[in-house]
Amino acid sequence: MSDAALPSAGPPARRAKPRGSLIGQVFEGLCFGAATLLLASLGGIIVSLLIGGWPAISKFGIGFLFSSTWNPVTDVYGAAGPIVGTLITAALALIMALPIAGGVAFFLTELCPAPLRRPIGTAVELLAGIPSIVYGMWGLFVFAPLFARWIQLPLMAAAKPGSILEALTTGIPNGSGILPASIILAIMILPFMAATLRELLLTVPAAVRESAYGLGATTAEVVLSVTLPYVRQGAIGAVMLGLGRALGETMAVTFIIGNSHAFPKSLFDSGSTIASTIANEFTEATSPIHTAALISLGLVLFLITFVVLGLARLMLRQQGAKL
Amino acid sequence: MLKTLGAAIGAALIVGAETQAFAAGAISGAGATFPAPVYNKWAEAYKAQTQTTLNYQAIGSGGGIKQIEANTVDFGATDKPLNLQDQQTNGLVMFPTVVGGIVPVMNLPGFKPGQIKLTGPQLADIYRGAIKKWDDPLLAKTNPGVKLPNLPITVVHRSDGSGTTFLFTSFLSLQAEHWKSEVGANDSVQWPVGLGGKGNDGVAAFVKQTPGAIGYVEYIFAAQNSMTYALMQDKAGQFIAPTAASFKAAAANAKWTTAPGFYLLLLDQPGANAWPITGATFILMHAKQADAAKGEEVLKFFDWAYKNGDADADKLFYVPLPANVKDMIRKSWSKIVGPDGKPVYK
């Protein structure tokens, strides 16, 4: 009977190879190919950014990173304004979005009545699916006027001459600039972070949580001393995912940040980010050095993202050592 | 497995070949976004009459110039004209299609369109931050009897590279020496002051939301959003309103005959009622067509558009070219030749 399971005909040499060997080989090959393709395209992108940006890199040197002149007429370019704008908006967005995302995730996993969990969870995921141009248009046409009227003008009116608040709130009172762009970014990265955090919190074994409750811990205590430490590593990944999106977000920011290449001097001042500058100027960049400068900006963004991810890895490793 | 793959590739190739054959009655163009609505409108009507499809990709003037130089399209379109030397180095021929105007728009509560008068040098001073408030004595001089508000001026410009910005900054360069030397003219410049909105609608939105703001948009946006525009001083010293008639006057008075390769910005043209910030949008084609039939298809399309497209252009707030200019353009097409050296347009 046992013979029936084997190929009925064929020399013993064939028999050594199990029936699924071809499928297995193809599967391995495809997986290897997928991984190689990913690495190859990553390398390809770096190389093509380097080649494309080389005219600007060789012309401006390291000064490209520190000069805030961006003059397409004289073909002199410096990336300091967009770099600073990118870092500030992404950092502000993260600071605003992280507590809210955490709150949403904890509410959904710990406090929310069971029948509401699904609808709210789905709503959060739907928010993540809205195209960024929609956020941009909404930001410009709906959010900016409301922000100017209810937040910006009262703040500007409340600022005493010479105070820090005044320095932070100078600008054009129309709801555009660094802070409004950061708020839009925060709204955009919020659903990503909330959804990921929720998934993470769901991975905490029920036994662990319930034993904590069994010991008489309050919800806050369970969250802070049991579930949060349990998912810490993954949580940093979720934060980095949000930060990555904030760093590279293009359209929504372009609409509302005011698009000035100079250093932003206050929260309501116009600024620019690397991605918004590229989106604004790439189609009409006719001089070779202008195109090269924009491609170099892309390379800088790539490096910033790389450094951010590297730092995240480092933090994870240190925490792993502590545990 | 390999056989199926081979069959699939084979099938794909056949399908590809078929689409290629099907595309023979089609012409392709790419470039400026400003004239895209009228080109697409013309293409629709032309297809209904002749079965020839025009595929126009509005990727921006810079992209249009790059694409035609790389020879990936049958024609390129640009708002920023190439001068004769640039045309010749790249073996290109350029001709205009329609004319449009750029309008300074403002947000001054309580003011009606056309209540404020501006001169070119004043506009340059506003855009470089020298005139900071609406009740500046310089502005009061050209607006006697108007109570100008004590509002700070917020300058709004385009953030994206644009033929509109090229025309506007060219006008400021023409009007003010300091603008020419300090900022210059290009499709994006280093703006001394102000904030940038993306596209015409971005500029219009910022102007509408900021009391005291001034911006510049294509006429269609000013008209459709019924924005408060300024009267501009024409070459004769009169203050005139932006209307289809005043753009037409600028196009009619332009010295196309003495413009080599149709390189002409219709800025500050002489003649009564000629809007000072007017410009044409242009088509670029290779002077030597590899495929004479294809070149003829393209020129036939534009010939048809010059004959039948004026009404559509008017409806979309563009200004058609005067008849004598159209005749000059048709004559200039003799420079576009096929592989045998004979003009492709007969």
Side-chain angles (χ1 to χ4, degrees), chain B residues 195-218:
Chain B
L195 76 164
K198 176 140 176 63
N200 280 294
D201 34 6
V203 171
F206 275 144
V207 170
K208 275 190 190 167
Q209 291 164 14
T210 319
I214 184 166
Y216 60 93
V217 291
E218 283 156 18

Side-chain angles (χ1 to χ4, degrees), chain A residues 38-312:
Chain A
L38 186 78
L39 272 184
S41 41
L42 187 71
I45 290 170
I46 297 179
V47 170
S48 56
L49 284 177
L50 262 177
I51 295 175
W54 189 249
I57 297 170
S58 59
K59 186 173 174 196
F60 304 117
I62 194 80
F64 182 70
L65 298 177
F66 301 107
S67 154
S68 65
T69 309
W70 186 272
N71 192 334
V73 180
T74 54
D75 264 345
V76 176
Y77 302 100
I83 291 175
V84 171
T86 305
L87 294 176
I88 294 179
T89 48
L92 285 177
L94 199 62
I95 291 170
M96 287 183 274
L98 187 56
I100 302 176
V104 170
F106 290 132
F107 178 75
L108 282 177
T109 49
E110 302 287 339
L111 300 169
C112 185
L116 278 180
R117 265 181 211 186
R118 268 198 96 87
I120 296 181
T122 315
V124 168
E125 278 157 23
L126 273 179
L127 266 183
I130 296 176
S132 68
I133 185 117
V134 175
Y135 281 105
M137 302 302 267
W138 176 79
L140 177 60
F141 292 110
V142 182
F143 173 76
L146 292 175
F147 181 83
R149 184 158 172 211
W150 297 108
I151 298 177
Q152 195 174 6
L153 283 175
L155 271 179
M156 288 169 95
K160 289 193 189 73
S163 64
I164 300 173
L165 187 63
E166 198 205 19
L168 282 177
T169 57
T170 49
I172 301 155
N174 67 354
S176 71
I178 294 282
L179 184 63
S182 308
I183 294 176
I184 294 287
L185 271 181
I187 299 173
M188 292 180 71
I189 64 176
L190 179 64
F192 276 96
M193 288 170 34
T196 325
L197 284 175
R198 184 182 69 125
E199 294 299 321
L200 276 172
L201 292 177
L202 287 177
T203 63
V204 178
V208 173
R209 276 214 325 267
E210 276 158 21
S211 9
Y213 280 118
L215 289 172
T218 61
T219 311
E221 282 166 348
V222 170
V223 163
L224 292 177
S225 38
V226 178
T227 52
L228 198 57
Y230 192 89
V231 299
R232 192 164 42 191
Q233 294 218 355
I236 292 183
V239 171
M240 288 304 143
L241 192 74
L243 187 60
R245 171 137 204 223
L247 284 171
E249 176 46 47
T250 311
M251 266 310 153
V253 174
T254 308
F255 272 92
I256 200 166
I257 197 165
N259 299 299
S260 140
H261 292 302
F263 278 118
K265 287 175 217 68
S266 81
L267 286 176
F268 298 132
D269 203 3
S270 304
S272 63
T273 68
I274 293 177
S276 74
T277 305
I278 297 175
N280 270 324
E281 297 189 8
F282 201 77
T283 46
E284 300 287 332
T286 35
S287 88
I289 201 88
H290 193 180
T291 314
L294 290 170
I295 296 175
S296 315
L297 270 186
L299 184 66
V300 171
L301 182 59
F302 201 92
L303 294 178
I304 291 178
T305 317
F306 195 75
V307 168
V308 165
L309 285 179
L311 283 178

